[in-house]
Amino acid sequence: MSVSSSGSAAYSGSLEGSNAQRGLWSSRLAFILAATGSAVGLGNIWKFPYVTGENGGGAFVLVYLLCIAIIGIPIMMAEVMIGRRGGHSPVNSIKAIAQRDGLNPAWKLVGAVGILAGFLILSFYSVIGGWAISYVGTTASGQLSGQTADAVGAIFSGLLSNPGTLLLWHTVFMALVMLVVAKGVRSGLERAVSILMPALFVLLLIVVGYAMTTGHFGQAAAFLFQPDFSKLTTSGVLVALGHAFFTLSLGMAVMMAYGSYLPKKISIAKTSITVSVIDTGVALLAGLAIFPIVFANGLEPGAGPGLIFQTLPLAFGQMPMGSLFGTLFFVLLIFAAWTSGISLLEPIVEWLEEQKGMNRTVSTLGAGVVCWALGIASILSLNLWADFAPLGFIPMLEGKTIFDLLDFFTANILLPLGGLLVALMAGWVMSKPAMEKELALSPGTFSLWFVTVRFITPIAVGVVFIYNLM
């Protein structure tokens, strides 16, 4: 099989040396930036602050950090290992491993579940990314300055009620994602994240520096890092567990796809830990950027999903230089969403290259256009189809629009299912000697990882899975 960094040949079914002739990351840093770019997204900057606010702050953060360590990192190592050992798209990597190790070929469905999850998530994730693009112009133009809470809410409601505007920004966001993915591993993915990720970190630090001038930075730090376990509920623990799992882009085949481009000489364990630490650090910095502004304006930290698009814009509109720093914040949000969007499209593009023999540009265009078209249904569900609940006859899905259903189906079913299957495959099915060779850990460290991924992780993910369906 002969593959350049911008394309791939049809899948051959080989395993040993299969990724030697494909496009590979140029260095460990390139992989770390790409994987971190996938992990750092709206989940860190949009969701983490508001779920932390809803669940009492410090105690929730502590549980979240523990879950990253005992659940997130082992699963990430397993996914990267599967991708690198197979050396192909997620489906074909598992197919190749199954052929080599004499496993049931049905295990390739693990990769299919992940690819489907990422594809569906991107269809509505792109719509939210479009909101961020829209808010750059709204904030920069000073439309938020001096506005009341009702006026700020009306701006957001006006955006959601306008399908034409939403379609425009959804199209722009998908075009940005497709532009990068079409260029391949080194010319596209690697070059993009080498610019976007450092820029994202700089912007985040600037916003944190601004937050430090509000006079409420100490209150925000105490809220995040001083645990008050009286505020932690069982539901909060399960939310922390679920968010720790999902924030690392696990269960959606991304790390398998990125792992397939990882050179053999690079340590899977060290890179997985590094990515997890950086991802967690960004989430905590986002909290330190957002909560001082929230507290300084007497707003509610548990404001829910509206924290970013309603609560914070209200705060920026009342603060000195709020338009400038509000604009920087939404540019930061775009960069985070963009790098994640790139990673969500990559697995299906990689599969189309191998399975259908398409070149990189055609496979990106095909997958991207279908994903864009599916996103139109999410757009319409926010306005013209707001009363349309396709599965409303099912009690737990009553009143859920297409947008809501895509979110529910991916977050509560496909992602935990994908993560559970990865843990079961690595812990119970794959060749243990082959995994030891691929991970290259000391015997004691490998045993710790193996016990975790075999017993602890499946139970934890299974609990979250069941809880989300109740």
Side-chain angles (χ1 to χ4, degrees):
M1 176 170 144
S2 178
V3 183
S4 71
S5 65
S6 60
S8 154
Y11 168 65
S12 64
S14 62
L15 181 65
E16 289 299 328
S18 56
N19 60 1
Q21 297 176 354
R22 308 171 78 244
L24 299 176
W25 304 114
S26 63
S27 65
R28 178 171 176 261
L29 177 61
F31 174 78
I32 288 172
L33 288 174
T36 303
S38 173
V40 172
L42 295 176
N44 300 73
I45 299 172
W46 176 42
K47 189 172 183 179
F48 175 77
Y50 86 71
V51 295
T52 300
E54 288 178 334
N55 290 281
F60 174 86
V61 172
L62 182 59
V63 174
Y64 167 76
L65 294 176
L66 290 173
C67 292
I68 287 284
I70 64 175
I71 305 298
I73 293 173
I75 285 288
M76 179 179 286
M77 290 171 60
E79 290 200 11
V80 175
M81 175 193 67
I82 290 170
R84 186 168 75 176
R85 183 158 187 259
H88 296 285
S89 66
V91 172
N92 287 332
S93 282
I94 296 175
K95 183 177 180 181
I97 291 171
Q99 290 174 350
R100 173 64 185 271
D101 295 349
L103 311 180
N104 189 321
W107 279 102
K108 68 183 181 181
L109 292 176
V110 177
V113 167
I115 289 176
L116 176 62
F119 184 77
L120 294 178
I121 289 170
L122 180 57
S123 72
F124 67 86
Y125 195 94
S126 176
V127 175
I128 302 173
W131 300 353
I133 297 175
S134 174
Y135 262 72
V136 169
T138 300
T139 310
S141 63
Q143 293 181 44
L144 299 173
S145 298
Q147 297 285 9
T148 64
D150 289 342
V152 171
I155 290 173
F156 187 53
S157 298
L159 173 64
L160 298 189
S161 65
N162 190 327
T165 301
L166 292 176
L167 178 61
L168 170 64
W169 297 125
H170 165 58
T171 302
V172 170
F173 185 87
M174 278 301 303
L176 290 172
V177 170
M178 292 163 62
L179 181 65
V180 173
V181 175
K183 292 182 176 295
V185 179
R186 292 199 181 181
S187 299
L189 277 66
E190 185 171 320
R191 182 174 296 176
V193 296
S194 67
I195 297 171
L196 291 175
M197 291 312 296
L200 186 152
F201 295 140
V202 170
L203 286 172
L204 183 55
L205 289 174
I206 290 173
V207 178
V208 170
Y210 175 63
M212 293 177 72
T213 68
T214 63
H216 289 74
F217 191 80
Q219 183 182 357
F223 179 74
L224 279 171
F225 300 119
Q226 289 183 4
D228 181 355
F229 289 98
S230 67
K231 296 181 179 180
L232 186 66
T233 64
T234 302
S235 173
V237 172
L238 293 173
V239 170
L241 180 58
H243 189 66
F245 182 79
F246 304 135
T247 188
L248 294 176
S249 293
L250 304 177
M252 56 185 77
V254 170
M255 293 305 164
M256 289 188 211
Y258 279 11
S260 73
Y261 302 126
L262 187 66
K264 292 290 186 180
K265 63 182 180 180
I266 296 176
S267 167
I268 290 174
K270 290 179 180 178
T271 51
S272 296
I273 291 170
T274 302
V275 169
S276 300
V277 169
I278 296 174
D279 175 75
T280 305
V282 168
L284 295 175
L285 281 173
L288 290 174
I290 290 169
F291 287 124
I293 297 172
V294 169
F295 291 136
N297 288 270
L299 303 174
E300 176 56 50
L307 182 65
I308 297 300
F309 292 103
Q310 289 178 277
T311 305
L312 272 185
L314 174 63
F316 284 128
Q318 307 298 323
M319 302 182 73
M321 300 182 69
S323 293
L324 171 61
F325 286 98
T327 302
L328 290 177
F329 177 82
F330 285 107
V331 170
L332 163 69
L333 198 62
I334 292 169
F335 284 4
W338 191 4
T339 54
S340 292
I342 291 166
S343 71
L344 291 169
L345 189 60
E346 175 61 27
I348 192 167
V349 168
E350 187 184 21
W351 179 80
L352 287 172
E353 285 185 281
E354 294 175 353
Q355 203 68 22
K356 305 300 180 182
M358 298 180 180
N359 67 41
R360 186 79 179 185
T361 301
V362 173
S363 58
T364 302
L365 186 62
V369 168
V370 173
C371 190
W372 169 84
L374 182 58
I376 295 175
S378 288
I379 288 173
L380 294 176
S381 73
L382 297 171
N383 36 73
L384 300 180
W385 295 354
D387 297 326
F388 177 48
L391 300 178
F393 56 88
I394 301 174
M396 68 187 305
L397 302 178
E398 185 177 355
K400 290 189 181 294
T401 64
I402 293 174
F403 186 101
D404 297 329
L405 286 174
L406 286 169
D407 185 22
F408 178 87
F409 184 59
T410 53
N412 297 312
I413 297 176
L414 289 182
L415 293 188
L417 177 61
L420 180 61
L421 291 174
V422 167
L424 293 175
M425 183 177 175
W428 295 91
V429 177
M430 288 180 65
S431 164
K432 191 174 178 180
M435 291 193 295
E436 287 181 298
K437 179 181 178 182
E438 196 69 50
L439 291 174
L441 300 170
S442 67
T445 304
F446 177 83
S447 296
L448 178 62
W449 172 83
F450 187 69
V451 169
T452 301
V453 83
R454 188 169 193 175
F455 298 107
I456 300 174
T457 301
I459 293 172
V461 176
V463 168
V464 172
F465 194 3
I466 294 169
Y467 171 76
N468 286 338
L469 295 178
M470 292 176 62

